[in-house]
């Protein structure tokens, strides 16, 4: 018997394990404008930077010691598992321009995938895929 979950918050929190905490903070806080709540010690060693994207908490974890493996860099279909996350936005072209000026790798430039739905995909400093979607 499956009861399903009953959410207490209408958002999902996302943990991103990072090697370069300052670069990741710069991307998510300075470039994308996420609100930096603060930093706390990570229980298994290192630090967790806590940032808010709307009602979603983005936890950038910089463990000590640092793992050596990086994400696959072949785009969404390059490997199995969690490959990307999506934000629904209303200023896609501006975001993509800012990402390009910042130096983020553009995986998918501004592209209309079906009538009324336009996307852009970039990588953060460590190769994680970040998708922006604008809907009419």
């Amino acid at each position: 018997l499956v009861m399903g979950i009953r959410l207490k918050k209408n958002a999902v929190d996302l943990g991103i394990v990072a090697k370069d905490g300052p670069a990741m903070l710069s991307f998510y806080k300075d470039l994308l404008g996420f609100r930096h709540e603060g930093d706390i010690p990570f229980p298994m060693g290192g630090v967790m930077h806590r940032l808010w994207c709307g009602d979603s908490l983005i936890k950038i974890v910089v463990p000590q010691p640092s793992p050596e493996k990086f994400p696959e860099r072949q785009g969404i279909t390059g490997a199995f598992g969690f490959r990307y996350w999506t934000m629904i936005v209303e200023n896609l072209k501006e975001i993509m321009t800012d990402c390009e000026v910042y130096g983020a790798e553009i995986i998918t430039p501004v592209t209309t995938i079906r009538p009324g739905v336009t996307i852009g995909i970039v990588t953060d400093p460590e190769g994680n895929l970040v998708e922006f979607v604008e809907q009419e």
Side-chain angles (χ1 to χ4, degrees):
L1 181 64
V2 177
M3 299 284 293
I5 61 171
R6 294 193 321 247
L7 295 174
K8 293 279 274 183
K9 176 175 123 176
N10 287 325
V12 176
D13 297 348
L14 175 67
I16 303 171
V17 176
K19 186 171 192 69
D20 187 342
M24 294 290 277
L25 270 177
S26 174
F27 180 83
Y28 288 102
K29 180 174 85 70
D30 301 331
L31 174 63
L32 298 184
F34 292 6
R35 183 176 57 84
H36 185 208
E37 176 185 279
D39 304 328
I40 61 172
F42 189 62
M44 294 165 262
V47 64
M48 176 190 293
H49 305 289
R50 297 169 56 90
L51 299 119
W52 289 94
C53 174
D55 292 331
S56 295
L57 177 63
I58 309 305
K59 303 175 283 188
I60 298 174
V61 175
V62 186
Q64 289 299 323
S66 179
E68 293 302 318
K69 185 172 172 64
F70 280 89
E72 298 293 332
R73 295 185 75 90
Q74 295 103 9
I76 290 174
T77 59
F80 292 106
F82 290 103
R83 300 294 300 143
Y84 67 103
W85 64 293
T86 303
M87 288 169 267
I88 308 302
V89 301
E90 56 185 45
N91 60 333
L92 176 63
K93 289 180 183 172
E94 294 89 352
I95 291 168
M96 293 299 289
T97 297
D98 288 348
C99 286
E100 186 172 23
V101 169
Y102 179 85
E105 181 181 0
I106 307 298
I107 300 299
T108 304
V110 174
T111 304
T112 299
I113 59 170
R114 62 182 175 272
V117 180
T118 305
I119 69 167
I121 302 174
V122 303
T123 62
D124 70 16
E126 297 197 354
N128 301 297
L129 297 169
V130 181
E131 177 185 47
F132 306 102
V133 174
E134 187 171 85
Q135 301 171 332
E136 292 178 9

